[in-house]
Structures are given as C-alpha cells and as structure tokens.
Amino acid sequence: MVKNTGKVVGVNGNMVAVEIDGHVSMNEVGYINVGDRKLKSEIIRIRGDRAEMQVFEMTRGIGIGDTVDFTDELLAVELGPGLLGQVFDGLQNPLPKLAAQCGFFLDRGVYLEALDQEKTWEFTPEANVGDRVECGITLGSVPEGMFRHRIMVPFNLHATYTVKRIAEKGEYTIKDTIAELTDEKGNSIPLTMVFQWPVKRAITAYKERLKPVEPMVTKIRLIDTFIPVARGGTYCIPGPFGAGKTVLQQITSRNAEVDIVIIAACGERAGEVVETLKEFPELLDPRTGRTLMERTVIICNTSSMPVAAREASVYTAVTIAEYYRQMGLNVLLLADSTSRWAQAMREMSGRLEEIPGEEAFPAYLESVIASFYERAGLVRLKDGSEGSVTIGGTVSPAGGNFEEPVTQGTLKVVGAFHGLSRERSDARKYPAIHPLESWSKYPGSVDKAITEYGRALLYRGNEVDQMMKVVGEEGTSLPDYIVFLKGDFLDSVYLQQDSFDPIDASVSTERQRHIYNVIFDVLSSTFSLESKEDARSFFNILRQKFLDYNGTEWQSDEFFRLEKEIEEMIHQKKSGIEANAQEIVKSSEAGDEQ
Ligand SMILES: Nc1ncnc2c1ncn2[C@@H]1O[C@H](COP(=O)(O)OP(=O)(O)O)[C@@H](O)[C@H]1O
Ligand SMILES: [Mg+2]
C-alpha cells in the first residue's frame, strides 16, 4: 500500500505546517525527514491540503521543503507482557535503554522497542480450539511479576472469531505466534502476545461500567476518613509550589491498596523527575517486601522535553492503566502535574492561532480534561471479573490560586478534591491537605455520622481560632476555648500524619475505624475542666499520649496499654456528652449491640 507523503511549508516552534499529498486523518502519525533522522509528529489539524503537526522532538534543523512520510496510523502504544517495572518517555521509549544507547543527552529521532523482544514468557493456553471469542477475551496467560498477565484477543478486533489454533504451554517471546483466529469469512488472523492501541482512544473491551463505591484505601487517615477516593474514581490535588503534591503522590503510590501504580511524571523541574527515577526503584513494597518497581510503570517527561511529548505521556499512561484493568486488576494512575500538560495544550493552541479562552488556554480545555478523567472507572469484564482505574492528578496553579481554568476544569469532573494549603505546609502540618476546603463525593470507610461530627467541630474550632486572633484568649469563653482545643487535638493526632514514621506512615482501615472511635469519645464528651489553663494542660497530655499511641504497632501490648491510659484519662474528666452528640452516641451504641 502506498503511504501518503507531504512537504514542510512552515515551522512555528514545535508545530510544523505540511502540504499533503493524498488523504490523511486527524491524529495520524508522520515522520519528518531531517537529514538521515526521522522525527515523529502527529497531525493536530487538517484544513484542505494542509495539515498542522506537532513534533515530539526538538524541531531545530527542520526546513521548508523537507519531506514527511505518513503512517496511516494513530499515535499508539504497544501492549503486552513486560510493561511493569519500566520507565518510558511519553512515546513509550524505554528511558534507561535510550540513555544507554545515546548517553545522557537523548538523541532526536531514536525510537526503541517498548518491550523486550528476546525475553521469553511462560505461556499457558486458556482458550480451546473451536472457542468463539471477541476482543478482550482471554486466550492464555503468562506470569508477570506477581500477576497473571492475560493474553487477550486484541481490542481492535471488532467481530466474533473462532480459535483455530492455540500454542501449547511453553516459553515464547512476544514475537512468536501464540494463537490463530479465523473470522466469519474464513480469513486467518495470527496473534502474538502484543498489539498496538491508539493512546487517545479509551479501551472499552469490557461488559459494563459500574458505579465506584468501594474505597481505594490510601492508608492516609485524612483522606480515607474525611475525603475518600473510590476504586475506579477520580480525584485532584491542587496546591501551590512546594506544598507537598509530589510527596503526597509518592506516599500514595507506596501505600495505596491497589495492584498496579502508573506514574505519569510531567515534571515541574528536570531534577524532580530524576529524583523520582533514582528513588523509586530502591523502594520496597510494604506489602510484599519486594521492590515496588515490580508493580509500577513510570512515564516520564521533564519540562525540558518538547511540549507535545508531555501531552502524549498522559495518554500513554492512561492507556497502559486501562490495559492492566482488562486483566481484572486495580490500577492507580497518578499524574503530576496536569498543569504542565494543560500548558502544553495552551502552547499548541497559540501556535494554531485558535481563539483563546480564559488565561489563553484553549476553549476546549475543559472537555479535554473531562475526557481524560472519564477514562477512570470500575468495570465488569467479559469474564465477570472486575477491574478498575483510579486517576489522581495534581494541579499546580500559579500562586496557588484555585480559581484558574485548569483547577476549575478539573474540579467539575472529579469525585474528590484534595486541596493543599500553603498555610498548612508552612506550618509543616503534613499532609498539607486543607480539611475544610477539601471534599469528596465517595463513601468512606468510617461511619459518616461521627466523621461529620468531627468535621463540624473543625469548623467551629477554626471559627474560635479566628475570633481569638481578634479578641485574644482572655476574651474567649471556656466552652469556646475547649471547642478550639478539641479541633486542634483532632488535627494534630489524626489529620496530620508522619510519613517518615514506619508505623504512622500507613494506617489500615481497621485501625482508622478503631482510633477514630477513641477520638470521637474525646470530641463528643463534656469535661469538668475548671480553667483554660486546666483545659490546655489536659489536652496537651492527651495529645502527647495519642501521638505515642499512633506510633505503636497495631494491636500490640503497647498499643492496648496506651489506649487504656488514654481512656482512663478521658473518663476521669468526663462529665457528660455534648448535647449535639447525643443522638449519634445513642445510635452508635444501638449499632454496637446488634
Ligand atoms: N508529607 C510530608 N512530610 C514531610 N515533608 C513533606 C511532606 N510533603 C512535603 N514535604 C516537604 O515539602 C517539600 C516540597 O514538597 P513537594 O511534594 O515537592 O511539593 P510540590 O510538588 O507541591 O511542589 C518536600 O521536599 C518536603 O521537604
Ligand atoms: Mg511537585
């Protein structure tokens, strides 16, 4: 088949205008011939016989008249065994291999195989000759790390087929044919363990989408208890520079109860990404004791790479996430930072001279953000098993102003909002998520009545705090002062969490439920405290004991000993139950008896 060609007629930064010969389609990939190099590019607009292409490489040296070879294919990734543990750039080049071949400064126009071509995998057939199959149906599997990697009918085969031949159990490379299907007309379709999928198209080879309701446990108390994320849901973490977005995502990638983590690092600084790359492979998985990298894929771009590659990386990441979801796994995709991606869109839109929207972002910014987050989801697969992709993206608005278009566009589509606060990070209150401004639409794992009570108390405590800044402590009544102390207690022993403490860093749902009940006892009780001095000292001691309690191993002797001390301390001073807590206490006691 003759592929279409074109000729460069204009260069504008990372965008090249091409006069085309024949028919091309939107998002089709083409290679610009610059000397003996071929620079990968994607069509982002077609008008008549002229197309605009974004180039995924530095455009230096491209000249008018250079030829372009179109591929008749959309920007795609390779899906197959061997993705886990890898570090790719936005075009799925394995970075360590690329660096080995080209040195530290990556060459333009060098594209490597994403997956190891020589490695063999132990294939076990699961389908039988004669089976009627369609896209997404499992033909066999290979072990990949701790997972059973399903080898499926490629998602781009849209009819029903018959299995004509399937390989015997044994060792095969990804290039070997492991099955042969025949279509209705009797055409034979040989299959290997890999196939390509266009990154900008969602994978839908499942039976149905389900509503995400089960929590995606992060082991971060503030999140799981107050602003939970659902498995298959979406959330965003906006925050000013240095507030802790990247650290929060790193902690989450280590501790979250998911099978696979995909990290899309569109770095703020080149150094930051290098840090991630150096640190990550050395981290151990708290659950298996093996390296965390075994169940992680990193897609990485720094701000020094061309903007188009940054855009591609987000789509490459979500496509790989969807692929593993098709295997009945729970995948978490963390994108940091989506603002860099939005800026890439802004740059390209400017070059296309489109009519700009707010802050010069393209008018379609919101719909692009929405269609990215829509690729999250909990699905029932064709074999009845469930898989999920949860997406969490950071946003880094200039000056920490959440009113800007990327934060606002993201807020409209996500199910939970974890806003980081400069005030809290300056005070080193980590994680610096603002407990009052953040929200979630998902159900959590701690009883709602008692968490809502805690939240209301935080509001009131904050009000008293604001008031005290004006009228001073002397001008504040003792009951108000106690409300303030309770809010501060909840904040310091529960919302804040030490991510460097081996125990405190990750807290199971069971433990969260357990200790939050002890905290609720404190929040809902009235105490016989004579003076502010008295109250302050009582809460100081209680806080210290609780922090020690947080540092003990779950259900150890020391854990129960400290718990007993805390309970005794509460009961010595307890004089009753707050009026607004009586209903909750009654119903929770009734619940206990059932
Ligand atoms: N949970 C945390 N515990 C302790 N220190 C933190 C935490 N989160 C952030 N920090 C500190 O703040 C710095 C900046 O955090 P980072 O995640 O890089 O910010 P951002 O990505 O929002 O710009 C970190 O280098 C670290 O010193
Ligand atoms: Mg960061």
Side-chain angles (χ1 to χ4, degrees), residues 240-248 251 272 420 428 430-431 499-500:
F241 186 75
K245 299 180 293 295
T246 304
V247 172
L248 183 58
I251 299 168
E272 195 172 4
L420 298 196
R428 306 197 65 76
Y430 292 120
S499 53
F500 296 107

Side-chain angles (χ1 to χ4, degrees), residues 568-580:
E568 276 166 9
M569 221 185 129
I570 298 168
H571 290 280
Q572 262 171 22
K573 290 283 179 191
K574 184 167 176 164
S575 58
I577 292 168
E578 293 281 2
N580 59 353

Side-chain angles (χ1 to χ4, degrees), residues 228-248:
V229 179
R231 225 188 308 129
T234 52
Y235 67 110
C236 79
I237 310 173
F241 186 75
K245 299 180 293 295
T246 304
V247 172
L248 183 58

Side-chain angles (χ1 to χ4, degrees), residues 240-247 267-269 272 336-337 394 396:
F241 186 75
K245 299 180 293 295
T246 304
V247 172
E268 318 266 349
R269 305 169 276 120
E272 195 172 4
D336 181 26
S337 139
T394 69
S396 36

Side-chain angles (χ1 to χ4, degrees), residues 10-17 44-45 47 50 52-55 57 59 306-308 310 343-356 360 362 364:
V11 184
N12 176 6
N14 243 66
M15 197 187 71
V16 169
I44 52 174
R45 186 168 68 189
R47 283 196 300 205
R50 194 180 149 113
E52 263 85 26
M53 304 187 76
Q54 57 177 352
V55 189
E57 305 274 355
T59 46
V307 291
R310 236 184 281 168
Q343 282 161 6
M345 269 188 261
R346 174 162 68 185
E347 243 181 274
M348 293 319 294
S349 167
R351 299 225 166 95
L352 289 172
E353 292 173 1
E354 291 169 339
I355 297 165
Y364 48 79

Side-chain angles (χ1 to χ4, degrees), residues 29 52 79 135 183 248 311 400 418 433 449 452 552:
V29 170
E52 263 85 26
L79 300 174
C135 66
D183 67 11
L248 183 58
E311 199 214 357
H418 300 167
I433 300 171
E452 283 306 309
T552 58

